[in-house]
Amino acid sequence: MIIAPRRFTARSAACLLAVAGAAASATAQISTENPPPTLQWFECRWSDMERRMGDFFVAGYGSTWVPPPSRAYVPPSSPNQNSTSVGYDVFDRFDLGKPNAQTAYGTEASFHQVVQEFHLAGAEVYIDTILNHNGFRQTGATFQAEGGWPGLWMASANPPVNKQPTSPWGDFHAGVSGGYLQSENPGGSRYCLLRGDLVALVDIDQASVNNFIRQPTTPGNPLNIPGGSVFNRPDPANARFYPDQALGTDTVFNPGMSFAGPLNTGIFAPPCDIPARNEPATQLTLGRFNLADPMAGDPVPENATGYLLRWVQWMADVHHVDGYRLDAIKHTPSWFFDTFFDSAIANRRRTPDGRLVTPYSFGECVEGNDFTFDRYVRKPNGRTSGRSVAGDAFGNRDALDLNGAGQLRDIISANGLGSWNNVTSALLDLTDDGLQNGSIGMAHVFSHDNAYGDGGSNPPTPTTRQQGPFAHAFLLMRAGRATLYHNARGVARNGSGFYPRAGLTAPLGVEPATNAPNDTFTTLVRLSNWLGRGEYQPRAQDADVLVFERRTPLGGGAYSGNCLVGVNDRYDAGFDQRIVSTSFPAGTRLIEMTGNAANPAVDPNNDIFDTIVVGAGGSVTLRVPRNLNPLGAEHNRGYVVYAPAIPAGTLTISNQSGSLPAESFSVPSWRRRANAVPVVSAPSFEIQLTTTNGDPQATTNDNADDNALFRLNAGFEDWNASGAPDIGFQNDVSPGYENFVTQRQPLAGTTNANGLYRQAIDATRLPEGMNYLSVLAFRKRNLNEAALFREWRTALYIDRLPPDATLTNPSPLPSGTLQHRFSLRALDRTVSRIHLILNPPVGGDPLLLANGSNQAVQDDRFDWSRTLTGLAEGPNTVLLLAFEESGRGSAQFFTVFVGLPPCDPDLNQDGNVDQDDIEYLVGVVAGGSNGTGIDPDFNQDGNVDQDDIAALTDVVGGGPCP
C-alpha cells in the first residue's frame, strides 16, 4: 500500500475542551475486572515456551509479552548465521528465523506454533514491536553494497560510498554537519526527540515518501527497491509477504484524534519540535493475506510507513498475534500511531469465539504521565475531564506505567524506608480520570530494561527481597492490567552488549536454581483472578502500610466487598495493626487467602489473624506482617489478602493411563516441567470436581459453592450437548465456559459434606497432545454482587494415537550413491524425536531399535534430518521411528532405491499385490502422497497417469510386469 503521511495543524482548543467535557461521564462505564495477569517471558526459545505451556497455564496467566521476533543483522560472511540478538536492533522484520539462520529464540515455524499453543491455552500473545528504528546505524559502503536494510531504502550512491551525516538517507533521518542527531539525552548535543537515533539505532523517517516494491519477486521490475549482492534482491518466495489482490480489500475508517493541551512545548526548533496531536478522519485500504495459498500474494509499491504497516498486519493476520508492545513510542511521532498504526490493526484479532476485535497495544514512553497520556494513549473510555480526548471506540492503545513501576522499585530498594504515598500518587492510571480503576496503564514492577543487572553482562540472580513480593501483591490485587517479568536465562549470551536484566525467578511456581516449589507469585496471580473484582477503594495509607478494598457498587450508594488487601514495606521485625472500615456486612468471616497467616515462617507467634469477623458498620481490625517475623527472620511476605471463604475441593480426571512427571535437574530450568500432567489414552474421560466448604469453621453451607463451570482449551465449544457454548463472550468472568450436566450437585444450601460436579468428555474431539482444563467453583452470593470463585487448572495430555511422521523419499537415488541426508517431517505437534535406521534387522519390536546414535537432528519445529551411510545398489529398507513425550512411538518402513528400481507391483508395500495397490496408485495419480517410495510411473513412459493404472491392473490380473 502507498501511505502518504501528513503533518497536521491544531484545531480550536475551546472546541476540544467541549468535546472532552461531554465525554468525561464515560469513565463510569470502565470495567474494573482484573484481566488475568501477563507474563513478560524473555530469554526463552519458542520451543521451550511451548514445552512449558502447562506451567504457564497452571500458574494462572492470561497473556504473555514476548521479545521482538524478527531477526537482527548477521554479516553474510559469518560462518554462523544464527542471531543471538535480543531483537531491539531489528534488521529484517519479515525474517522470523529459519533453519541455520535462526533468531535467538528459534524459527518462524516454531514462533507460529508457540502462538498457536498459547491460544489453545486460552492466552493472548503480545510481541515486542520495533517501529521507530532499525539496528545500529550502518554507514559503510560494504553494507550498502550488500543491499542495506531489507525493505528500507538507504539512498545509496552507485557505486556505494561511505555515508556522512548530511548524505541522503532515504527512509531514514539524516544528521547535520556536526554529526548524527540523537534522542536519548535531552541535555546533550544534537538532541532531537523524533528524528534522532536512539542509542545509535538508525531512526526511520515515517514521513518519507519513497515508493518501491520493497520485497520484490520479479527481476528487472523498475519499481523494485534497489538491491545489492545479498539483500533486497528479487525472490519469488517474497510473494507470501503480500496480500492477494484477488481476495479484495478492506477499507478502515479512522475517526481521527483530537487533543486540547500544550503539546507544542516550544523547547525545540523545527524540525525537532513536537507536533500537536490533531489528526483528521482518514480511510485506509488494506489487502487480505491468502492463508490457504500464501504464494498468491501480489507485490505493490509502498513507502516506509506502508512497509511497517504491512508487517504489523502480517503478524496479526498470518501469525495471529494478539497485541503489540510498542518499543520507544515516544521517539515516534504520535500521528504515525493515531492515523496509520491504529488503522492497520483495527479489528485484526480473532477472539476464541470468532469475533474480530482490535488488538491490545501498549507503548514504552520514558517520560512523565501527562506526556505519555497526552500523546500516546488511545483507549475506549480512556478520557480525562476537561483537558483532552484520548479515547474513542476505535483505538485500543495503552502505555506501560513506567512512573508507577519506578516508584514500586524505589519502595523495594528503600528496605522499609520508602513510602506508599509516592507509589499511589505516581500511577499512570490516575492521569485520565484521577481514579485507580484500571482504565489505562500496563502496570509492572520490573522489565527487561530496569530490573537487576547493568545491561552489559549476565545479571546476577536477585534475592527474594530484591524481587519485592509485597510490591507485587499491590500490583496484582489492584484494578487493571499487570505484568510480571521473567528472564528464563535460556539463551546463550557472551556477556557483552545488551543483556536483558534479571527478573522474577519463580513466576511459574518453582525456583530454577534449586527446583524447589515456590508459590509466592503464582498464589498472587491466582488470587488476582479469583478475587480481583470491582473498584479500588483505599482504606488506610501511610508511608509503611497500605490497606485497600476491592468492592462492587450495588446502586444507591451501597457496595459489596470482594477482598481486603494489606501490604507492608517495613523490614524491621513484627507486624502493623490497622482498624479500617469496609463494605462487608457485620458478621462476615474473612479468610486470609495468601497462606501468610498460617505460615510459621511469617507468623511464628500466631499474631496474624487467620480469620477476621467483620464488626459493626463494616469495621475490621487486621494485622499486616512486616517483612521480618517477630523473631527477626526475613520472609519477605509483608502482605495479606482477606476475602469471604471461596469453595475448596479436589479436581480429578478419570481414565488416566499415566502422567508426564514433573522434571528434575536433568532438564535445563528454562524447559523443565514443574507440574505433572495426567495422560488420557481412552476415548472418553470424566472431569470430576468434589467441593468442600472453604471455611472449615462454618456452621452452615449457606455460602458454599452454588455452581461450577469448566473450560477446555480456549473454550466456546459445546461439550455437554446443550447445542451451543453455555457462557458467551459478554460475560466478564467466565466467557467460553460450560456447565456440568453429567452431575451437578452444589454444596450451598445443603447439609452435605461435599458438592459434586461431573462431566463426561469425548476425548476423540480433543487434539492429540497437550490440552488445558480450567474449572471454576463459585461462592454463593447475592444478586448483583461480583462473582468470587476458586479455580483449578491442569494441563491434560491426550494420547490416543501414535505420533505421525513421514520421510521425504528421494527414491530413486542416482546409481552408486553410498550416503544421503534424508528429510523427515512430523505430521502432528506431538512428535518429540525421530530416529532413522538403514536396513534394520528383521523381527522383534522395531521401536526398541531407537538409540542416541540413530536419532535424527531437529532442524525446525516440524522438520528433522539424518544422513544414512552404507546405501546399497537396488532396494534399501529405511525404518522411521517417531516418539512423543508420553513414550508412545510409531514405526514406518520405506523402500529407497539406489539406481533404477525394478518393477514392483506392491505399490502400497503391504506384502500383497491386489486391488489395494491399484487404489493406492489411483490416489497418487490424483495428486496424493507417495509414502512408500515405489516409483508410481509403473509403465516407465515418463508420465504418472491413467496408463500406469491400466498397466498395474493388468499385473494384478495376472499379467507380466511392463
Side-chain angles (χ1 to χ4, degrees), residues 7-90:
R7 298 294 186 185
F8 306 119
T9 58
R11 291 175 56 195
S12 163
C15 175
L16 294 176
L17 287 171
V19 173
S25 62
T27 57
Q29 304 301 317
I30 295 169
S31 171
T32 49
E33 300 295 332
N34 279 26
T38 299
L39 179 66
Q40 185 189 355
W41 200 349
F42 272 40
E43 293 300 274
C44 191
R45 290 177 63 82
W46 309 132
S47 58
D48 296 332
M49 284 186 186
E50 183 184 352
R51 193 169 189 275
R52 293 208 68 186
M53 195 63 64
D55 295 335
F56 169 90
F57 175 75
V58 168
Y61 297 102
S63 55
T64 185
W65 159 14
V66 299
S70 301
R71 193 161 169 265
Y73 178 67
V74 176
S77 60
S78 173
N80 184 350
Q81 286 295 296
N82 294 328
S83 170
T84 60
S85 168
V86 180
Y88 294 96
D89 55 337
V90 63

Side-chain angles (χ1 to χ4, degrees), residues 306-596:
Y307 171 75
L308 296 175
L309 297 187
R310 179 163 53 84
W311 177 77
V312 166
Q313 182 189 350
W314 183 70
M315 292 301 296
D317 292 4
V318 175
H319 288 293
H320 310 299
V321 302
D322 303 285
Y324 306 84
R325 183 267 187 183
L326 302 170
D327 182 71
I329 195 172
K330 87 163 186 175
H331 302 269
T332 312
S334 60
W335 56 255
F336 170 79
F337 294 100
D338 287 334
T339 300
F340 298 111
F341 174 83
D342 288 347
S343 295
I345 68 169
N347 291 327
R348 303 229 78 87
R349 173 181 171 249
R350 190 169 296 279
T351 63
D353 59 291
R355 291 171 298 122
L356 288 173
V357 300
T358 297
Y360 176 67
S361 60
F362 53 105
E364 176 212 22
C365 184
V366 188
E367 266 294 349
N369 288 344
D370 287 344
F371 184 103
T372 299
F373 177 77
D374 290 351
R375 292 164 177 81
Y376 295 110
V377 172
R378 188 183 191 183
K379 287 193 68 180
N381 299 320
R383 297 174 164 90
T384 69
S385 176
R387 189 183 78 214
S388 61
V389 177
D392 53 25
F394 186 76
N396 191 19
R397 180 155 39 86
D398 207 342
L400 283 166
D401 186 359
L402 296 179
N403 277 1
Q407 290 298 328
L408 284 168
R409 291 193 300 276
D410 285 350
I411 201 171
I412 292 170
S413 61
N415 296 311
L417 300 179
S419 175
W420 285 107
N421 299 321
N422 295 336
V423 172
T424 57
S425 63
L427 300 173
L428 178 63
D429 192 14
L430 303 173
T431 311
D432 62 337
D433 53 20
L435 301 175
Q436 277 204 57
N437 56 9
S439 57
I440 63 171
M442 172 62 94
H444 62 293
V445 178
F446 300 114
S447 76
H448 61 289
D449 275 328
N450 49 35
Y452 292 94
D454 59 13
S457 61
N458 193 328
T461 300
T463 65
T464 303
R465 178 187 289 208
Q466 290 173 325
Q467 294 178 58
F470 71 86
H472 283 87
F474 166 77
L475 175 82
L476 290 163
M477 296 309 300
R478 61 180 289 273
R481 289 181 175 267
T483 183
L484 278 65
Y485 169 56
H486 177 49
N487 180 330
R489 301 176 184 259
V491 175
R493 298 286 178 201
N494 60 13
S496 62
F498 175 76
Y499 192 109
R501 308 297 180 93
L504 303 184
T505 57
L508 295 175
V510 67
E511 286 291 350
T514 62
N515 211 31
N518 182 349
D519 66 354
T520 300
F521 297 105
T522 54
T523 293
L524 290 170
V525 167
R526 293 162 186 158
L527 292 179
S528 177
N529 293 337
W530 304 350
L531 308 173
R533 312 269 96 78
E535 66 182 31
Y536 171 97
Q537 179 63 40
R539 292 301 188 185
Q541 180 173 328
D542 53 42
D544 299 319
V545 175
L546 171 62
V547 179
F548 61 90
E549 182 183 7
R550 297 292 301 277
R551 65 181 190 177
T552 299
L554 300 177
Y559 294 89
S560 169
N562 299 322
C563 65
L564 186 67
V565 180
V567 289
N568 196 331
D569 78 323
R570 292 181 63 163
Y571 267 89
D572 49 346
F575 62 88
D576 291 283
Q577 180 170 297
R578 298 290 186 269
I579 300 174
V580 301
S581 297
T582 74
S583 302
F584 294 101
T588 304
R589 291 172 54 80
L590 301 179
I591 312 298
E592 205 288 302
M593 295 291 184
T594 69
N596 288 344

Side-chain angles (χ1 to χ4, degrees), residues 92 94 151 213-217 225 235 238 241-242 299 307 310:
D92 184 348
F94 285 87
I213 293 176
R214 292 173 175 267
Q215 291 172 286
T217 59
I225 189 172
D235 182 350
N238 285 340
F241 302 129
Y242 285 91
Y307 171 75
R310 179 163 53 84

Side-chain angles (χ1 to χ4, degrees), residues 73-77 81 91 142-148 150 227-234:
Y73 178 67
V74 176
S77 60
Q81 286 295 296
F91 178 65
T142 299
F143 179 76
Q144 296 172 67
E146 292 172 352
S229 60
V230 182
F231 305 115
N232 286 323
R233 297 177 62 84

